[in-house]
Amino acid sequence: MTRLEQFIAFSALLTGEEAVALSGTGVAAELLAALDEITGAALTDELLARFAALPAGMQAEQAAGDSIMADPRLGPVARNVILLWLTGSWTQLPDAWRDSFGASPSDRNHVISAQSYQAGLQWTIAGAHPSGALQQGYGAWAMAPGSTAP
Amino acid sequence: MTATSHDVVIVGGGVAGSLIAKRLSHAGLKVLMLEAGPESTRSFADYNAHLDRFYAASAKGAESPWPPAVGAPQPDGGDIGTGKGYFVQRGPNQYGSTYTRTLGGSTLHWLGVSLRMLPEDFELQTRCGVGLDWPIGYSTLSPYYDQAEHEMGVSADVAQQQYHGLSFTPGYDYPMRHIPQSYSDRVLAAAVDGTRIALGDTSVAVRVRPYPAARNSIPRHSYQPRGAIDLDRRGNPYLLTIGERCEGNTACTPICPVQAKYHAGKTLVEADWRHLELRTRAVASRVLVDPASGEVQGIRYQRYERPDAPNFVEQTATGRYYVLAAHAVENARLLLASDLPGRSGLVGRHLMDHPALYAWGRSPLAVGPFRGPQSSSGIEEFRAGAFRAQHAAFRFDIGNDGWRATTGAPDTTVAQAVLQQGLIGQSLRHRLREQLGNQVRFSLAVEQLADATNRVSIDPAYRDAFGNPRPVIDYRITDYTLAGMAAALQVARQIFARAGITDCTGQDELSFPTVNYQGRNFAYHGMGHFAGTHLMGADPRQSVVDSHQRSWDHRNLYLAGAGSFPSMGTSNPTLTLAALALRIADDLIAQFPNAAGAAAQCGGL
């Protein structure tokens, strides 16, 4: 498995989205690069190693909670990975994290790119589409939610 | 300094200026249009660069796709309440609205609501003893409404718009059928249509009604919807087929990606370009007047090459007639900067807006927000009535975009679920589907009357990068409007209760200016409905322009736009100012006895 594939598999667990769908957004490499840039590739590698050590299957989500999300250093970064995928934006890490583990200059609220915004999973989870892109077509808004969602 | 001479010089390439330019050019008049902003909305590729800017913007406010040039600054929503920005706000209340200085003007980011003003709105003083009457009535403007609705492309059905005394020309209907109501609208309508809502001592049966929108829908008869615009290889403007229908991008404000929503560039495309010269990046800085006759002799303007640099050269445009169509604030600012406060002293005074409140909640059913045009229906019952003697009228706009405008959803909803509730994976998705799927939002736009102390003025201490004075704003929301806000919130609560909607108003609210009324704080926002800075009237001592928007003091000068409104009622001002602009064009053509002949001649070429 390449590092990008590992990142996608890890992201699939965090977001509940299929790996193939995450791959299909076309922004996985860009989000991984942003993560590496903001909090450092070494920390990403640690996250991916911790993920690789999780049990497979149904228990993975629970195990990730204990092993990654509860970790004071890795947890906030993993939560930011979820926000990256759902919104396409990076959210500045909590002050406590920045005080303890170092504040990167690129750790500030920002949209990663026009593409990452449009790929944000929050819109499809809501049965909608990103505001200003991937529109559903004339009159689709008059139909019940779900009837137009993929 | 270079000098050119035209029949008519128009300052401003927004909706009013474009409608006038189109009509005059087709009558064969030689027209020069000066536009302060860049021309970056004329080609499809350039327009799409604005769209990319919106995608990548952290704050996706009304101005996010439309950055100002250094020499043509504009107000920004992010500046309100900070003491920074283009406006110098002297209070006591914050003026909450913004506009855009780019070719196309604020139609680039408007919502597209195109309601006619009500007959009673023109006679508010006579009927209710408050506000100011117009010197003309609904019947004078009605044929111009017909024309404006066709020029801009408004979608609605006359059968649904005959209320509060609104009448239409026999046989008339809008050029396109009404925009389909959203699923969310239909759920609400099923719960509340016909239900009686208390207002003071009376009660009113309400209805969730589609409002007229300048967004393309299914055309009637031979009407051809205008889609996106582009320039061909020789630089000539033309219309594309993309955008001939609204596609539901849920981004009317700040940018319709397919240009299915009207913007002024579509009108300019249809001008007769043999007679129209467009000069962009040209900031009007002074109106030159003959002190003896009062006639305007020219417009001095600052021409710049690069939008990002503070360098310019000064030039002067001359014509026989002049039209300021630069925006309510910019028209007043330009006159005041030219030492032309008017003999009445009223230039800049009577500034109005529709200060608006949000009410939001959770529907008992999933309604599928974040789809469709940002809104498709309103509640119009409270726009008229005897209560206007006591407090302001108001109307409801029913959102299709969840709590985007009020809390920053969906991003903030997601952040809460991930960061505060600690959800991941399937449980996160499940929670979000539920939390995003039932969001409903009303915008309650409240009428504001003309008040001479609410004003735009200038102060030599405050200047922009080109040395032009910045607008100084004095603004107070009076009890008449505040009582209207209180009434509107009560109505919203009743409607929520009837529909089983859990009221969440005020929770997790974004930052808005507040105003206190009887011990309560109302968080309000501007609607972008600037009006009243160069009032129209029948008496030159109490107004700035006559009923044709012709300046009392400078008879070869017209002041176009909502600045001329003596009152605004509860209608979004664009359609009315468009109708008035077409009336200016007809009045101007009448000043040129040979114009019709010229048009016939051109038609034969």
Side-chain angles (χ1 to χ4, degrees), chain A residues 14-16 61 118 122 128-129 131-132 135-138 141-143, chain B residues 55 180 183 186 217 246-250 257 370-371 411 425-426 429:
Chain A
L14 292 178
T15 62
E61 203 170 300
Q118 294 174 68
Q122 59 184 351
H129 67 95
S131 169
Q135 65 273 28
Q136 296 178 338
Y138 179 82
W141 57 86
M143 299 158 87
Chain B
Y55 290 147
Y183 181 77
R186 296 198 287 128
S217 181
C246 172
E247 298 177 13
N249 265 289
T250 331
F370 306 104
R371 302 182 301 150
D411 296 60
Q426 291 307 324
R429 296 174 75 80

PDB file of all heavy atoms in Angstrom, chain A residues 14-16 61 118 122 128-129 131-132 135-138 141-143, chain B residues 55 180 183 186 217 246-250 257 370-371 411 425-426 429:
ATOM      1  N   LEU A  14     -12.220   7.313   9.234  1.00  0.00           N
ATOM      2  CA  LEU A  14     -12.588   8.531   9.968  1.00  0.00           C
ATOM      3  C   LEU A  14     -13.900   9.141   9.474  1.00  0.00           C
ATOM      4  O   LEU A  14     -14.687   9.663  10.270  1.00  0.00           O
ATOM      5  CB  LEU A  14     -11.490   9.591   9.829  1.00  0.00           C
ATOM      6  CG  LEU A  14     -10.148   9.331  10.504  1.00  0.00           C
ATOM      7  CD1 LEU A  14      -9.188  10.476  10.214  1.00  0.00           C
ATOM      8  CD2 LEU A  14     -10.315   9.160  12.014  1.00  0.00           C
ATOM      9  N   THR A  15     -14.124   9.089   8.175  1.00  0.00           N
ATOM     10  CA  THR A  15     -15.281   9.793   7.598  1.00  0.00           C
ATOM     11  C   THR A  15     -16.471   8.869   7.349  1.00  0.00           C
ATOM     12  O   THR A  15     -17.568   9.360   7.065  1.00  0.00           O
ATOM     13  CB  THR A  15     -14.914  10.438   6.246  1.00  0.00           C
ATOM     14  OG1 THR A  15     -14.543   9.398   5.324  1.00  0.00           O
ATOM     15  CG2 THR A  15     -13.749  11.418   6.384  1.00  0.00           C
ATOM     16  N   GLY A  16     -16.252   7.566   7.398  1.00  0.00           N
ATOM     17  CA  GLY A  16     -17.332   6.646   7.092  1.00  0.00           C
ATOM     18  C   GLY A  16     -17.638   6.566   5.606  1.00  0.00           C
ATOM     19  O   GLY A  16     -18.659   6.006   5.197  1.00  0.00           O
ATOM     20  N   GLU A  61     -13.485   1.253  14.182  1.00  0.00           N
ATOM     21  CA  GLU A  61     -13.928   2.593  14.572  1.00  0.00           C
ATOM     22  C   GLU A  61     -13.785   2.795  16.081  1.00  0.00           C
ATOM     23  O   GLU A  61     -13.288   3.824  16.536  1.00  0.00           O
ATOM     24  CB  GLU A  61     -15.386   2.786  14.127  1.00  0.00           C
ATOM     25  CG  GLU A  61     -15.770   4.241  13.959  1.00  0.00           C
ATOM     26  CD  GLU A  61     -17.135   4.400  13.273  1.00  0.00           C
ATOM     27  OE1 GLU A  61     -17.302   3.938  12.125  1.00  0.00           O
ATOM     28  OE2 GLU A  61     -18.028   5.002  13.897  1.00  0.00           O
ATOM     29  N   GLN A 118     -15.047  22.075  -3.302  1.00  0.00           N
ATOM     30  CA  GLN A 118     -16.117  21.406  -4.054  1.00  0.00           C
ATOM     31  C   GLN A 118     -16.216  19.926  -3.721  1.00  0.00           C
ATOM     32  O   GLN A 118     -17.275  19.319  -3.858  1.00  0.00           O
ATOM     33  CB  GLN A 118     -15.885  21.575  -5.560  1.00  0.00           C
ATOM     34  CG  GLN A 118     -16.010  23.018  -6.010  1.00  0.00           C
ATOM     35  CD  GLN A 118     -15.635  23.183  -7.477  1.00  0.00           C
ATOM     36  OE1 GLN A 118     -16.334  22.712  -8.352  1.00  0.00           O
ATOM     37  NE2 GLN A 118     -14.517  23.840  -7.724  1.00  0.00           N
ATOM     38  N   GLN A 122     -19.411  17.060   3.210  1.00  0.00           N
ATOM     39  CA  GLN A 122     -20.570  17.512   3.991  1.00  0.00           C
ATOM     40  C   GLN A 122     -21.806  17.711   3.118  1.00  0.00           C
ATOM     41  O   GLN A 122     -22.931  17.484   3.562  1.00  0.00           O
ATOM     42  CB  GLN A 122     -20.241  18.809   4.718  1.00  0.00           C
ATOM     43  CG  GLN A 122     -19.835  19.964   3.811  1.00  0.00           C
ATOM     44  CD  GLN A 122     -19.414  21.211   4.607  1.00  0.00           C
ATOM     45  OE1 GLN A 122     -19.575  21.261   5.809  1.00  0.00           O
ATOM     46  NE2 GLN A 122     -18.861  22.209   3.926  1.00  0.00           N
ATOM     47  N   ALA A 128     -27.159  17.083  -0.564  1.00  0.00           N
ATOM     48  CA  ALA A 128     -27.145  18.317  -1.335  1.00  0.00           C
ATOM     49  C   ALA A 128     -25.919  18.341  -2.252  1.00  0.00           C
ATOM     50  O   ALA A 128     -25.452  17.289  -2.707  1.00  0.00           O
ATOM     51  CB  ALA A 128     -27.151  19.514  -0.384  1.00  0.00           C
ATOM     52  N   HIS A 129     -25.398  19.501  -2.506  1.00  0.00           N
ATOM     53  CA  HIS A 129     -24.257  19.698  -3.396  1.00  0.00           C
ATOM     54  C   HIS A 129     -23.522  20.927  -2.890  1.00  0.00           C
ATOM     55  O   HIS A 129     -24.133  21.783  -2.234  1.00  0.00           O
ATOM     56  CB  HIS A 129     -24.752  19.939  -4.831  1.00  0.00           C
ATOM     57  CG  HIS A 129     -25.477  21.226  -4.947  1.00  0.00           C
ATOM     58  ND1 HIS A 129     -24.880  22.390  -5.354  1.00  0.00           N
ATOM     59  CD2 HIS A 129     -26.733  21.576  -4.572  1.00  0.00           C
ATOM     60  CE1 HIS A 129     -25.747  23.389  -5.255  1.00  0.00           C
ATOM     61  NE2 HIS A 129     -26.887  22.921  -4.789  1.00  0.00           N
ATOM     62  N   SER A 131     -22.326  24.509  -2.409  1.00  0.00           N
ATOM     63  CA  SER A 131     -22.900  25.783  -2.851  1.00  0.00           C
ATOM     64  C   SER A 131     -22.051  26.334  -3.992  1.00  0.00           C
ATOM     65  O   SER A 131     -20.859  26.551  -3.842  1.00  0.00           O
ATOM     66  CB  SER A 131     -22.907  26.752  -1.666  1.00  0.00           C
ATOM     67  OG  SER A 131     -23.203  28.056  -2.106  1.00  0.00           O
ATOM     68  N   GLY A 132     -22.666  26.503  -5.160  1.00  0.00           N
ATOM     69  CA  GLY A 132     -21.970  27.068  -6.312  1.00  0.00           C
ATOM     70  C   GLY A 132     -21.340  26.048  -7.231  1.00  0.00           C
ATOM     71  O   GLY A 132     -20.662  26.432  -8.187  1.00  0.00           O
ATOM     72  N   GLN A 135     -24.208  21.259  -9.297  1.00  0.00           N
ATOM     73  CA  GLN A 135     -25.633  21.516  -9.117  1.00  0.00           C
ATOM     74  C   GLN A 135     -26.471  20.333  -9.593  1.00  0.00           C
ATOM     75  O   GLN A 135     -26.075  19.590 -10.475  1.00  0.00           O
ATOM     76  CB  GLN A 135     -26.023  22.795  -9.859  1.00  0.00           C
ATOM     77  CG  GLN A 135     -25.884  22.742 -11.379  1.00  0.00           C
ATOM     78  CD  GLN A 135     -24.491  23.107 -11.873  1.00  0.00           C
ATOM     79  OE1 GLN A 135     -23.514  22.912 -11.176  1.00  0.00           O
ATOM     80  NE2 GLN A 135     -24.407  23.617 -13.088  1.00  0.00           N
ATOM     81  N   GLN A 136     -27.672  20.222  -9.008  1.00  0.00           N
ATOM     82  CA  GLN A 136     -28.514  19.047  -9.280  1.00  0.00           C
ATOM     83  C   GLN A 136     -29.435  19.232 -10.476  1.00  0.00           C
ATOM     84  O   GLN A 136     -30.060  18.275 -10.914  1.00  0.00           O
ATOM     85  CB  GLN A 136     -29.316  18.711  -8.018  1.00  0.00           C
ATOM     86  CG  GLN A 136     -28.409  18.298  -6.856  1.00  0.00           C
ATOM     87  CD  GLN A 136     -29.168  18.007  -5.575  1.00  0.00           C
ATOM     88  OE1 GLN A 136     -30.285  18.468  -5.376  1.00  0.00           O
ATOM     89  NE2 GLN A 136     -28.571  17.219  -4.702  1.00  0.00           N
ATOM     90  N   GLY A 137     -29.559  20.454 -10.978  1.00  0.00           N
ATOM     91  CA  GLY A 137     -30.368  20.681 -12.172  1.00  0.00           C
ATOM     92  C   GLY A 137     -31.694  21.346 -11.883  1.00  0.00           C
ATOM     93  O   GLY A 137     -32.169  21.365 -10.747  1.00  0.00           O
ATOM     94  N   TYR A 138     -32.291  21.887 -12.954  1.00  0.00           N
ATOM     95  CA  TYR A 138     -33.526  22.666 -12.820  1.00  0.00           C
ATOM     96  C   TYR A 138     -34.616  21.870 -12.106  1.00  0.00           C
ATOM     97  O   TYR A 138     -34.955  20.759 -12.523  1.00  0.00           O
ATOM     98  CB  TYR A 138     -34.019  23.099 -14.204  1.00  0.00           C
ATOM     99  CG  TYR A 138     -35.315  23.887 -14.168  1.00  0.00           C
ATOM    100  CD1 TYR A 138     -35.298  25.242 -13.889  1.00  0.00           C
ATOM    101  CD2 TYR A 138     -36.537  23.265 -14.387  1.00  0.00           C
ATOM    102  CE1 TYR A 138     -36.478  25.971 -13.829  1.00  0.00           C
ATOM    103  CE2 TYR A 138     -37.720  23.991 -14.330  1.00  0.00           C
ATOM    104  CZ  TYR A 138     -37.687  25.349 -14.052  1.00  0.00           C
ATOM    105  OH  TYR A 138     -38.852  26.061 -13.989  1.00  0.00           O
ATOM    106  N   TRP A 141     -34.590  20.791  -6.730  1.00  0.00           N
ATOM    107  CA  TRP A 141     -34.809  21.238  -5.357  1.00  0.00           C
ATOM    108  C   TRP A 141     -36.256  21.066  -4.902  1.00  0.00           C
ATOM    109  O   TRP A 141     -36.541  21.163  -3.710  1.00  0.00           O
ATOM    110  CB  TRP A 141     -34.376  22.694  -5.215  1.00  0.00           C
ATOM    111  CG  TRP A 141     -35.075  23.649  -6.154  1.00  0.00           C
ATOM    112  CD1 TRP A 141     -36.266  24.263  -5.953  1.00  0.00           C
ATOM    113  CD2 TRP A 141     -34.619  24.100  -7.444  1.00  0.00           C
ATOM    114  NE1 TRP A 141     -36.578  25.066  -7.029  1.00  0.00           N
ATOM    115  CE2 TRP A 141     -35.593  24.992  -7.956  1.00  0.00           C
ATOM    116  CE3 TRP A 141     -33.471  23.845  -8.203  1.00  0.00           C
ATOM    117  CZ2 TRP A 141     -35.470  25.619  -9.198  1.00  0.00           C
ATOM    118  CZ3 TRP A 141     -33.347  24.475  -9.443  1.00  0.00           C
ATOM    119  CH2 TRP A 141     -34.336  25.348  -9.929  1.00  0.00           C
ATOM    120  N   ALA A 142     -37.159  20.821  -5.841  1.00  0.00           N
ATOM    121  CA  ALA A 142     -38.560  20.621  -5.463  1.00  0.00           C
ATOM    122  C   ALA A 142     -38.834  19.174  -5.050  1.00  0.00           C
ATOM    123  O   ALA A 142     -39.908  18.858  -4.543  1.00  0.00           O
ATOM    124  CB  ALA A 142     -39.471  21.011  -6.628  1.00  0.00           C
ATOM    125  N   MET A 143     -37.854  18.302  -5.286  1.00  0.00           N
ATOM    126  CA  MET A 143     -38.041  16.884  -4.956  1.00  0.00           C
ATOM    127  C   MET A 143     -37.624  16.625  -3.509  1.00  0.00           C
ATOM    128  O   MET A 143     -36.823  17.355  -2.933  1.00  0.00           O
ATOM    129  CB  MET A 143     -37.213  16.017  -5.908  1.00  0.00           C
ATOM    130  CG  MET A 143     -37.636  16.198  -7.359  1.00  0.00           C
ATOM    131  SD  MET A 143     -36.322  15.727  -8.504  1.00  0.00           S
ATOM    132  CE  MET A 143     -36.647  13.986  -8.653  1.00  0.00           C
TER     133      MET A 143
ATOM    134  N   TYR B  55     -14.858  29.891  -4.595  1.00  0.00           N
ATOM    135  CA  TYR B  55     -14.625  28.545  -4.061  1.00  0.00           C
ATOM    136  C   TYR B  55     -13.521  28.550  -3.008  1.00  0.00           C
ATOM    137  O   TYR B  55     -13.605  27.870  -1.984  1.00  0.00           O
ATOM    138  CB  TYR B  55     -14.189  27.592  -5.189  1.00  0.00           C
ATOM    139  CG  TYR B  55     -15.249  27.242  -6.203  1.00  0.00           C
ATOM    140  CD1 TYR B  55     -14.891  27.016  -7.539  1.00  0.00           C
ATOM    141  CD2 TYR B  55     -16.582  27.097  -5.852  1.00  0.00           C
ATOM    142  CE1 TYR B  55     -15.833  26.676  -8.489  1.00  0.00           C
ATOM    143  CE2 TYR B  55     -17.535  26.751  -6.806  1.00  0.00           C
ATOM    144  CZ  TYR B  55     -17.158  26.544  -8.120  1.00  0.00           C
ATOM    145  OH  TYR B  55     -18.089  26.201  -9.066  1.00  0.00           O
ATOM    146  N   PRO B 180     -39.798  26.842  -9.543  1.00  0.00           N
ATOM    147  CA  PRO B 180     -40.451  25.849  -8.688  1.00  0.00           C
ATOM    148  C   PRO B 180     -40.125  26.086  -7.207  1.00  0.00           C
ATOM    149  O   PRO B 180     -39.003  26.425  -6.863  1.00  0.00           O
ATOM    150  CB  PRO B 180     -39.834  24.518  -9.163  1.00  0.00           C
ATOM    151  CG  PRO B 180     -39.384  24.776 -10.558  1.00  0.00           C
ATOM    152  CD  PRO B 180     -38.981  26.219 -10.600  1.00  0.00           C
ATOM    153  N   TYR B 183     -38.691  21.825  -1.995  1.00  0.00           N
ATOM    154  CA  TYR B 183     -39.342  20.820  -1.164  1.00  0.00           C
ATOM    155  C   TYR B 183     -39.581  21.387   0.237  1.00  0.00           C
ATOM    156  O   TYR B 183     -40.639  21.199   0.834  1.00  0.00           O
ATOM    157  CB  TYR B 183     -38.470  19.563  -1.102  1.00  0.00           C
ATOM    158  CG  TYR B 183     -39.087  18.468  -0.275  1.00  0.00           C
ATOM    159  CD1 TYR B 183     -40.125  17.696  -0.787  1.00  0.00           C
ATOM    160  CD2 TYR B 183     -38.649  18.214   1.024  1.00  0.00           C
ATOM    161  CE1 TYR B 183     -40.714  16.695  -0.026  1.00  0.00           C
ATOM    162  CE2 TYR B 183     -39.223  17.216   1.797  1.00  0.00           C
ATOM    163  CZ  TYR B 183     -40.258  16.465   1.264  1.00  0.00           C
ATOM    164  OH  TYR B 183     -40.837  15.487   2.020  1.00  0.00           O
ATOM    165  N   ARG B 186     -42.501  23.496   0.313  1.00  0.00           N
ATOM    166  CA  ARG B 186     -43.752  22.735   0.199  1.00  0.00           C
ATOM    167  C   ARG B 186     -44.121  22.081   1.530  1.00  0.00           C
ATOM    168  O   ARG B 186     -45.295  21.981   1.882  1.00  0.00           O
ATOM    169  CB  ARG B 186     -43.662  21.724  -0.943  1.00  0.00           C
ATOM    170  CG  ARG B 186     -43.510  22.447  -2.311  1.00  0.00           C
ATOM    171  CD  ARG B 186     -43.843  21.569  -3.486  1.00  0.00           C
ATOM    172  NE  ARG B 186     -42.802  20.576  -3.724  1.00  0.00           N
ATOM    173  CZ  ARG B 186     -43.027  19.266  -3.841  1.00  0.00           C
ATOM    174  NH1 ARG B 186     -44.270  18.808  -3.760  1.00  0.00           N
ATOM    175  NH2 ARG B 186     -42.035  18.441  -4.068  1.00  0.00           N
ATOM    176  N   SER B 217     -36.256  30.582 -15.913  1.00  0.00           N
ATOM    177  CA  SER B 217     -37.120  29.431 -15.713  1.00  0.00           C
ATOM    178  C   SER B 217     -37.699  29.052 -17.076  1.00  0.00           C
ATOM    179  O   SER B 217     -37.104  29.375 -18.104  1.00  0.00           O
ATOM    180  CB  SER B 217     -38.190  29.795 -14.682  1.00  0.00           C
ATOM    181  OG  SER B 217     -39.031  28.703 -14.444  1.00  0.00           O
ATOM    182  N   CYS B 246     -32.251  28.221 -14.465  1.00  0.00           N
ATOM    183  CA  CYS B 246     -31.650  28.069 -13.142  1.00  0.00           C
ATOM    184  C   CYS B 246     -31.346  26.594 -12.938  1.00  0.00           C
ATOM    185  O   CYS B 246     -32.182  25.739 -13.226  1.00  0.00           O
ATOM    186  CB  CYS B 246     -32.622  28.549 -12.070  1.00  0.00           C
ATOM    187  SG  CYS B 246     -32.079  28.196 -10.383  1.00  0.00           S
ATOM    188  N   GLU B 247     -30.131  26.283 -12.482  1.00  0.00           N
ATOM    189  CA  GLU B 247     -29.748  24.886 -12.285  1.00  0.00           C
ATOM    190  C   GLU B 247     -29.664  24.518 -10.807  1.00  0.00           C
ATOM    191  O   GLU B 247     -29.239  23.422 -10.457  1.00  0.00           O
ATOM    192  CB  GLU B 247     -28.417  24.614 -13.002  1.00  0.00           C
ATOM    193  CG  GLU B 247     -28.536  24.830 -14.511  1.00  0.00           C
ATOM    194  CD  GLU B 247     -27.216  24.646 -15.257  1.00  0.00           C
ATOM    195  OE1 GLU B 247     -26.256  24.114 -14.670  1.00  0.00           O
ATOM    196  OE2 GLU B 247     -27.163  25.056 -16.436  1.00  0.00           O
ATOM    197  N   GLY B 248     -30.031  25.462  -9.944  1.00  0.00           N
ATOM    198  CA  GLY B 248     -30.055  25.146  -8.513  1.00  0.00           C
ATOM    199  C   GLY B 248     -28.676  25.090  -7.899  1.00  0.00           C
ATOM    200  O   GLY B 248     -28.328  24.134  -7.199  1.00  0.00           O
ATOM    201  N   ASN B 249     -27.872  26.109  -8.130  1.00  0.00           N
ATOM    202  CA  ASN B 249     -26.516  26.111  -7.586  1.00  0.00           C
ATOM    203  C   ASN B 249     -26.439  26.575  -6.133  1.00  0.00           C
ATOM    204  O   ASN B 249     -25.378  26.500  -5.516  1.00  0.00           O
ATOM    205  CB  ASN B 249     -25.602  26.991  -8.449  1.00  0.00           C
ATOM    206  CG  ASN B 249     -24.850  26.168  -9.484  1.00  0.00           C
ATOM    207  OD1 ASN B 249     -23.951  25.415  -9.126  1.00  0.00           O
ATOM    208  ND2 ASN B 249     -25.237  26.278 -10.741  1.00  0.00           N
ATOM    209  N   THR B 250     -27.553  27.089  -5.600  1.00  0.00           N
ATOM    210  CA  THR B 250     -27.594  27.497  -4.196  1.00  0.00           C
ATOM    211  C   THR B 250     -26.485  28.508  -3.876  1.00  0.00           C
ATOM    212  O   THR B 250     -25.844  28.446  -2.827  1.00  0.00           O
ATOM    213  CB  THR B 250     -27.498  26.260  -3.259  1.00  0.00           C
ATOM    214  OG1 THR B 250     -28.060  25.125  -3.912  1.00  0.00           O
ATOM    215  CG2 THR B 250     -28.274  26.501  -1.978  1.00  0.00           C
ATOM    216  N   PRO B 257     -23.035  30.565 -10.770  1.00  0.00           N
ATOM    217  CA  PRO B 257     -21.982  30.012 -11.623  1.00  0.00           C
ATOM    218  C   PRO B 257     -22.369  29.934 -13.096  1.00  0.00           C
ATOM    219  O   PRO B 257     -21.508  30.042 -13.955  1.00  0.00           O
ATOM    220  CB  PRO B 257     -21.751  28.601 -11.059  1.00  0.00           C
ATOM    221  CG  PRO B 257     -22.323  28.622  -9.701  1.00  0.00           C
ATOM    222  CD  PRO B 257     -23.456  29.608  -9.733  1.00  0.00           C
ATOM    223  N   PHE B 370     -29.887  23.239   1.481  1.00  0.00           N
ATOM    224  CA  PHE B 370     -28.640  23.380   0.709  1.00  0.00           C
ATOM    225  C   PHE B 370     -28.838  22.951  -0.747  1.00  0.00           C
ATOM    226  O   PHE B 370     -27.930  22.473  -1.398  1.00  0.00           O
ATOM    227  CB  PHE B 370     -27.477  22.601   1.361  1.00  0.00           C
ATOM    228  CG  PHE B 370     -27.271  22.966   2.808  1.00  0.00           C
ATOM    229  CD1 PHE B 370     -27.682  22.114   3.825  1.00  0.00           C
ATOM    230  CD2 PHE B 370     -26.686  24.170   3.154  1.00  0.00           C
ATOM    231  CE1 PHE B 370     -27.506  22.454   5.160  1.00  0.00           C
ATOM    232  CE2 PHE B 370     -26.510  24.528   4.488  1.00  0.00           C
ATOM    233  CZ  PHE B 370     -26.919  23.658   5.493  1.00  0.00           C
ATOM    234  N   ARG B 371     -30.052  23.103  -1.238  1.00  0.00           N
ATOM    235  CA  ARG B 371     -30.357  22.783  -2.636  1.00  0.00           C
ATOM    236  C   ARG B 371     -31.235  23.883  -3.225  1.00  0.00           C
ATOM    237  O   ARG B 371     -32.068  24.447  -2.530  1.00  0.00           O
ATOM    238  CB  ARG B 371     -31.140  21.460  -2.729  1.00  0.00           C
ATOM    239  CG  ARG B 371     -30.439  20.269  -2.139  1.00  0.00           C
ATOM    240  CD  ARG B 371     -31.280  19.005  -2.330  1.00  0.00           C
ATOM    241  NE  ARG B 371     -32.583  19.127  -1.697  1.00  0.00           N
ATOM    242  CZ  ARG B 371     -33.688  18.524  -2.125  1.00  0.00           C
ATOM    243  NH1 ARG B 371     -33.646  17.766  -3.212  1.00  0.00           N
ATOM    244  NH2 ARG B 371     -34.832  18.682  -1.492  1.00  0.00           N
ATOM    245  N   ASP B 411     -20.580  24.070   7.502  1.00  0.00           N
ATOM    246  CA  ASP B 411     -19.251  23.915   8.099  1.00  0.00           C
ATOM    247  C   ASP B 411     -19.290  23.902   9.628  1.00  0.00           C
ATOM    248  O   ASP B 411     -18.613  23.093  10.272  1.00  0.00           O
ATOM    249  CB  ASP B 411     -18.323  25.037   7.612  1.00  0.00           C
ATOM    250  CG  ASP B 411     -18.079  24.980   6.113  1.00  0.00           C
ATOM    251  OD1 ASP B 411     -19.071  25.074   5.358  1.00  0.00           O
ATOM    252  OD2 ASP B 411     -16.923  24.834   5.701  1.00  0.00           O
ATOM    253  N   GLY B 425     -16.647   8.509  11.661  1.00  0.00           N
ATOM    254  CA  GLY B 425     -17.168   7.378  10.888  1.00  0.00           C
ATOM    255  C   GLY B 425     -18.678   7.410  10.695  1.00  0.00           C
ATOM    256  O   GLY B 425     -19.271   8.464  10.454  1.00  0.00           O
ATOM    257  N   GLN B 426     -19.294   6.218  10.829  1.00  0.00           N
ATOM    258  CA  GLN B 426     -20.727   6.096  10.535  1.00  0.00           C
ATOM    259  C   GLN B 426     -21.585   6.914  11.487  1.00  0.00           C
ATOM    260  O   GLN B 426     -22.615   7.472  11.097  1.00  0.00           O
ATOM    261  CB  GLN B 426     -21.154   4.628  10.565  1.00  0.00           C
ATOM    262  CG  GLN B 426     -20.591   3.787   9.425  1.00  0.00           C
ATOM    263  CD  GLN B 426     -20.863   4.390   8.050  1.00  0.00           C
ATOM    264  OE1 GLN B 426     -21.915   4.991   7.805  1.00  0.00           O
ATOM    265  NE2 GLN B 426     -19.900   4.261   7.141  1.00  0.00           N
ATOM    266  N   ARG B 429     -21.638  10.473  10.242  1.00  0.00           N
ATOM    267  CA  ARG B 429     -22.492  10.653   9.058  1.00  0.00           C
ATOM    268  C   ARG B 429     -23.972  10.641   9.441  1.00  0.00           C
ATOM    269  O   ARG B 429     -24.762  11.456   8.960  1.00  0.00           O
ATOM    270  CB  ARG B 429     -22.221   9.544   8.030  1.00  0.00           C
ATOM    271  CG  ARG B 429     -20.833   9.568   7.462  1.00  0.00           C
ATOM    272  CD  ARG B 429     -20.597   8.362   6.572  1.00  0.00           C
ATOM    273  NE  ARG B 429     -21.274   8.487   5.292  1.00  0.00           N
ATOM    274  CZ  ARG B 429     -20.806   9.191   4.277  1.00  0.00           C
ATOM    275  NH1 ARG B 429     -19.667   9.839   4.386  1.00  0.00           N
ATOM    276  NH2 ARG B 429     -21.464   9.256   3.146  1.00  0.00           N
TER     277      ARG B 429
END
